[in-house]
Amino acid sequence: VYIDKKTGQIYYSVTRILSATMPEANKKALNSWLERPGSYQSREMAATRGTAMHNSAEYILKMAQRLARSTANKRNVWKMGEDGLYRAPKAITRWALEKAVAGAPKVPWSASGFARGLRGWILDHVTAIHAVEFSGYHPSGFAGSCDALVDIGGACPVICDWKSTGKSIHASQESQLVQYRDQTGGYSLMLEHLTGIKAKAGAVIVARRSGEPVCTFLERDALTEAEERFKARTAQFLISKD
């Protein structure tokens, strides 16, 4: 939980709400997996590689953001868009990302494939960087930390959430993708409440041990649906707490 020290208000984490309100089918599958021999070790390994992958992406995006802003300012091309967000030209952002990738610390072997795939996705798709690992809250009772707010091609800005998995994410695993989409919806609500910025889209990027990440892109209508579902899940969670 997160606690506002001034008011004493308690905010529950986005991930806790999602876990507590997940569909019964997901809970049964999770419990079945947890009962298997070696599941604890597998979970620890997954958490370790996920942290390493996230740290790598965070370093690259933050370093590229600083390089792009500094270079664009020197050239007097750091401009504010109609949405109130500042951007460097796409070519400068691309150059900054390449520089950041070249100088990034090495990733532990267990996470290297995941980090490499996510790094490649970022290079191929991100055209502007606005915020990285930003935290916030929403008055309906939740708080959390989102991975990134970036421009992706012609879509701007986009809420992004990085995931890692040892298996491919297929359409047959719709129940898991709903969890990810709803999480993105929660972060979008948080962003709009704190800044007034309304994300144009959302993206869940699932990195894999090898190969390209799997991207689930949410256009504005789909993101709005995810926001509404997350608000309903928050209300459901708070009722159960009472």
Side-chain angles (χ1 to χ4, degrees), residues 65-100:
Q65 186 181 34
R66 289 196 290 269
L67 287 170
R69 181 171 60 241
S70 174
T71 302
N73 271 321
K74 289 178 181 178
R75 300 182 182 182
N76 199 30
V77 290
W78 182 246
K79 303 292 184 181
M80 184 175 71
E82 294 181 359
D83 56 7
L85 293 170
Y86 281 84
R87 294 172 175 83
K90 292 180 181 179
I92 290 179
T93 299
R94 171 73 186 189
W95 164 83
L97 282 167
E98 290 175 347
K99 291 282 287 185

Side-chain angles (χ1 to χ4, degrees), residues 30-53:
L30 177 61
N31 289 333
S32 176
W33 178 77
L34 289 174
E35 291 172 358
R36 295 177 186 173
S39 64
Y40 175 79
Q41 290 83 352
S42 296
R43 185 169 47 175
E44 289 294 300
M45 289 176 61
T48 299
R49 80 182 182 218
T51 298
M53 182 194 77

Side-chain angles (χ1 to χ4, degrees), residues 182-193:
D182 289 0
Q183 184 173 2
T184 306
Y187 292 147
S188 180
L189 289 168
M190 185 180 76
L191 173 71
E192 185 173 7
H193 168 69

